Amino acid sequence: MFKRFTKKIIRNGIKNILTGDDSLSIDGEQRVIKEEINKQAREVLKNAIDKPEILLDFIKSKGTQIVKSKHIHKILLLFGETEGFITPMKGIKALLFTTVINMFSPVKLKAGFSTPAIFALNDEPVNIYILAHQFHLWLSYINNLPGFEERTLYNFKNFWKQGHQSQDVSYLSVDEIFSLKDIIARELEALSFVKELGREFEGQKKSIKKLREGGSVNL
C-alpha cells in the first residue's frame, strides 16, 4: 500500500495542507486582517481626496520613506520597477538603486546592500486615484500578508511578462506556486478595492453636483 502524500505549508496566518489529490486552505486570520486593511485604506483615502498630504503623512507615520524625483520613471525603469510602492531590495541592485536615487532626490536613502520598503513618486502633485492601488498593496505588506517575499515578486514579474501565451509554472516548487498565488491575490484585492472606491467616490461627486445645481439626492 502506498503512503498518502501530505504536506503542510504555513505562511503568515495562512495554512495550506496538500494531499495527493487536493488541498485545503485555512486563512481565517488573514480574512480579518484584509477586512481591516480595506477599512483603514478607505478611511485614509476619503480624507485625502482634497488633501493628498494626509495620505503621504500617513505613509511616513508608519516609518516608510517617500522619495520624489522628476526623473523617477526613468530611474525605476532601470531597475525593473514602476512608480509607487517599492519592496525592499538586496545586494548590488540595492546599492546601485540607493546611489542613483540619492543623486536625483532631495530625500536620501541610506546607501548599502539593502533598502527598506519605500514609495518612489514623480515630483508632482499626488493623484490619489492612481496611488490608491499602491497604497492598498503597501498596507498588505506592512500587515505581513504573504506574497511580498523577494523570490515571490521575482517569480510574479516573470509570470506576468509571459502573458497569456505561456502560463507554465512547472519550473516552480510547490511552495513557490502557493507564494505566487499569494501575490496575485494581493494584486486582485487591491484592484477590487480601487474599483469599489472609484464607484463610491463617483457617486459622491454626482450627489454633490446635484446639490450644487439645486437638485435632490436620494439617501
Side-chain angles (χ1 to χ4, degrees), residues 169-180:
V169 293
S170 60
Y171 61 93
L172 299 176
S173 67
V174 173
D175 297 57
E176 287 176 328
I177 290 173
F178 273 104
S179 293
L180 185 60

Side-chain angles (χ1 to χ4, degrees), residues 21-211:
D21 302 317
D22 50 24
S23 65
L24 171 65
S25 178
I26 303 173
D27 61 350
E29 182 181 345
Q30 259 199 29
R31 292 182 184 180
V32 174
I33 294 174
K34 286 186 282 189
E35 289 174 2
E36 287 299 316
I37 287 172
N38 283 344
K39 180 180 178 181
Q40 188 173 49
R42 181 174 281 102
E43 181 179 340
V44 173
L45 289 167
K46 275 187 175 181
N47 293 330
I49 285 297
D50 297 318
K51 296 181 178 179
E53 63 272 14
I54 291 177
L55 175 61
L56 301 183
D57 288 343
F58 180 84
I59 292 171
K60 288 186 283 189
S61 74
K62 300 298 181 180
T64 300
Q65 284 185 277
I66 298 175
V67 297
K68 287 187 174 184
S69 170
K70 62 181 180 180
H71 305 292
I72 202 67
H73 291 295
K74 294 179 181 179
I75 295 172
L76 294 175
L77 185 62
L78 291 173
F79 296 91
E81 302 289 348
T82 56
E83 183 180 1
F85 170 49
I86 309 295
T87 53
M89 300 179 189
K90 294 180 181 179
I92 190 66
K93 180 181 179 181
L95 180 61
L96 292 173
F97 181 75
T98 53
T99 300
V100 176
I101 284 292
N102 290 344
M103 290 172 61
F104 296 100
S105 172
V107 175
K108 308 301 180 183
L109 298 175
K110 182 180 179 181
F113 291 97
S114 64
T115 67
I118 65 168
F119 267 81
L121 305 175
N122 198 29
D123 192 10
E124 61 184 20
V126 173
N127 186 316
I128 293 295
Y129 295 97
I130 293 177
L131 198 57
H133 171 261
Q134 295 293 301
F135 179 64
H136 194 280
L137 285 176
W138 170 76
L139 282 175
S140 295
Y141 171 80
I142 66 172
N143 279 280
N144 296 317
L145 288 183
F148 297 97
E149 304 79 17
E150 185 178 15
R151 181 65 184 177
T152 300
L153 292 173
Y154 174 80
N155 289 334
F156 176 68
K157 289 176 182 177
N158 284 340
F159 179 79
W160 187 259
K161 287 178 183 177
Q162 290 176 8
H164 299 292
Q165 288 75 24
S166 174
Q167 295 188 1
D168 178 26
V169 293
S170 60
Y171 61 93
L172 299 176
S173 67
V174 173
D175 297 57
E176 287 176 328
I177 290 173
F178 273 104
S179 293
L180 185 60
K181 289 177 66 177
D182 287 333
I183 185 56
I184 291 174
R186 301 293 83 81
E187 285 284 350
L188 292 177
E189 288 157 7
L191 290 171
S192 177
F193 168 79
V194 171
K195 186 177 180 180
E196 291 178 13
L197 195 70
R199 283 199 297 261
E200 187 176 332
F201 285 169
E202 187 61 30
Q204 289 178 352
K205 282 184 178 180
K206 289 180 179 178
S207 296
I208 292 172
K209 184 178 180 181
K210 276 190 175 183
L211 287 172

